[in-house]
Amino acid sequence: MHNPGFLLTTCQQGAEKALKGEMLRDYPDFRFSYSRPGFVTFKSLKEQRLQPDFELKTIFARTYSVFIEKFKGDLKENEIIEKTITCAKALSRGKLRLHVWENENLTKALLACAHDLFYPDTQAQAGDTVLDLILVDKNEFWLGCHFHGSGHSPFPGGQPKIEMHPEAPSRAYLKIEEALLWSKAPLQRDDTAVELGSAPGGAAFSLLNRGLHVVGIDPAEMDPIIKKKFQNQFQHIQRPIADVFREDLPESVQWLLLDMNIAPQFSLFAVDKLVVRMKDSLLGVLLTLKLNQWKMASEIPQMLEHVREMGIRRLRAAQLSQNRQEFVIFGLTQKGLRRVAVTR
């Protein structure tokens, strides 16, 4: 088995350069090694071996794992299974959690062949040793290992299985569902959320379904299902954000959400404007920021500092599996932190 001096990462296809830039800036002890669309590896320059408990804090690496082995060639499924099981046994760490990145059929086959080696459920729990099997293409696959903790997604490939609600107006429903799962935002029934860029209503539908009240700010039309199903919970301010005034909003607002197709400097200005008006009741923000060009990824530290200066704490940022050329910021106010402390 090779010396695990390499780090395996996956990202959104197209975000490879952004991830490389992030690693170069924040992890100078690593150098780029190899990449394919959605898959990037880095070599550690330190003498000591990388351990499975290594923690990587990036926005664009959706998953990461310490390298174990690489296999190339025209391998049949039974050969892949045999090689994977051999490597898994060599780890000698007891029962493992299996994460096959984006191949459900192979997952089922491995679990059936080695039920004494792998847990039957693929969703990782704190402290699990996770074996990562990454199929780069039909003739190339990589094996890695990590210890599951808060810095890792519990789902194979960082892709939770979220089903589209049959009545949801748009894929923004999937985006907000994943963002809420990732952030663990302490939403409660009867909270009020203001959403910038609400049309046609995918995210609003998710929040309304949870029993929240939603104020949507968007000059575009909302899907008729929103009014039909949630008439008493939803208010539409059908104007640009520049024309929205304090008196247009409820006195008490707990959550501010953003998903607008404009450059981050303009959307963050709009958020700034509203946070000031909501500071007495606001618990937190969930902001989706568009990267109109990938080179804007280098400006993310400044964007995070901008949000921090609004009084938002415990910031987290990530490019989730449902995001495209965008990323999500989540953070809480002091009042929001108090809610988290009470609900634990």
Side-chain angles (χ1 to χ4, degrees), residues 258-271 288-293 296 299 303 306 325 327:
L258 167 77
D259 192 356
M260 299 171 68
N261 286 312
I262 59 175
Q265 61 266 34
F266 299 113
S267 57
L268 285 176
F269 176 78
V271 171
T288 301
L289 297 180
K290 310 295 181 181
L291 298 172
N292 304 70
Q293 298 176 326
M296 294 176 66
E299 302 171 20
M303 298 178 201
H306 188 150
Q325 198 163 322
F327 72 104

Side-chain angles (χ1 to χ4, degrees), residues 62-113:
R62 197 168 68 229
T63 53
Y64 63 95
S65 184
V66 172
F67 172 71
I68 295 176
E69 189 63 274
K70 173 186 175 182
F71 300 101
K72 295 193 72 172
D74 186 15
L75 299 173
K76 295 180 172 56
E77 183 178 277
N78 66 309
E79 294 176 295
I80 296 175
I81 290 171
E82 182 180 338
K83 289 178 179 293
T84 301
I85 290 174
T86 299
C87 287
K89 288 179 178 178
L91 286 174
S92 301
R93 297 183 184 276
K95 215 159 191 179
L96 305 173
R97 194 74 63 175
L98 176 67
H99 279 187
V100 180
W101 297 2
E102 301 189 53
N103 191 313
E104 192 168 341
N105 290 333
L106 186 55
T107 300
K108 291 177 180 178
L110 270 163
L111 293 178
C113 292

Side-chain angles (χ1 to χ4, degrees), residues 104-273:
E104 192 168 341
N105 290 333
L106 186 55
T107 300
K108 291 177 180 178
L110 270 163
L111 293 178
C113 292
H115 53 83
D116 58 331
L117 184 61
F118 300 117
Y119 291 106
D121 182 9
T122 59
Q123 185 169 332
Q125 308 295 321
D128 281 350
T129 298
V130 181
L131 183 72
D132 299 298
L133 172 59
I134 308 108
L135 301 173
V136 177
D137 63 34
K138 65 178 182 178
N139 294 321
E140 179 181 350
F141 74 98
W142 299 62
L143 278 172
C145 177
H146 73 264
F147 292 165
H148 181 67
S150 59
H152 289 275
S153 169
F155 306 102
Q159 295 182 305
K161 293 180 181 179
I162 301 172
E163 293 186 6
M164 185 71 172
H165 193 289
E167 294 181 301
S170 68
R171 67 175 297 274
Y173 174 87
L174 297 174
K175 289 166 60 177
I176 192 66
E177 285 287 315
E178 183 177 16
L180 292 174
L181 181 65
W182 161 76
S183 66
K184 299 181 175 62
L187 305 182
Q188 291 182 5
R189 190 176 188 84
D190 290 328
D191 280 352
T192 295
V194 169
E195 184 190 7
L196 308 183
S198 57
F205 186 93
S206 168
L207 298 172
L208 293 163
N209 242 3
R210 285 175 159 80
L212 277 74
H213 299 270
V214 178
V215 178
I217 300 175
D218 200 314
E221 295 283 346
M222 298 295 291
D223 190 282
I225 190 67
I226 300 295
K227 183 176 181 180
K228 178 181 177 181
K229 191 167 183 177
F230 305 105
Q231 184 171 4
N232 296 327
Q233 290 173 247
F234 183 78
Q235 175 191 351
H236 187 194
I237 300 178
Q238 198 169 0
R239 301 196 297 273
I241 182 59
D243 297 332
V244 176
F245 304 99
R246 179 68 187 93
E247 53 268 27
D248 296 319
L249 302 173
E251 286 188 15
S252 177
V253 174
Q254 284 69 53
W255 302 100
L256 180 59
L257 292 89
L258 167 77
D259 192 356
M260 299 171 68
N261 286 312
I262 59 175
Q265 61 266 34
F266 299 113
S267 57
L268 285 176
F269 176 78
V271 171
D272 237 339
K273 176 182 173 182

Side-chain angles (χ1 to χ4, degrees), residues 32-43:
F32 163 68
S33 177
Y34 172 82
S35 72
R36 297 292 296 273
F39 177 69
V40 187
T41 73
F42 298 92
K43 179 178 174 58

Side-chain angles (χ1 to χ4, degrees), residues 11-24:
C11 62
Q12 294 291 68
Q13 291 194 18
E16 296 85 2
K17 285 186 179 180
L19 173 57
K20 293 173 193 176
E22 195 175 21
M23 289 291 292
L24 182 64

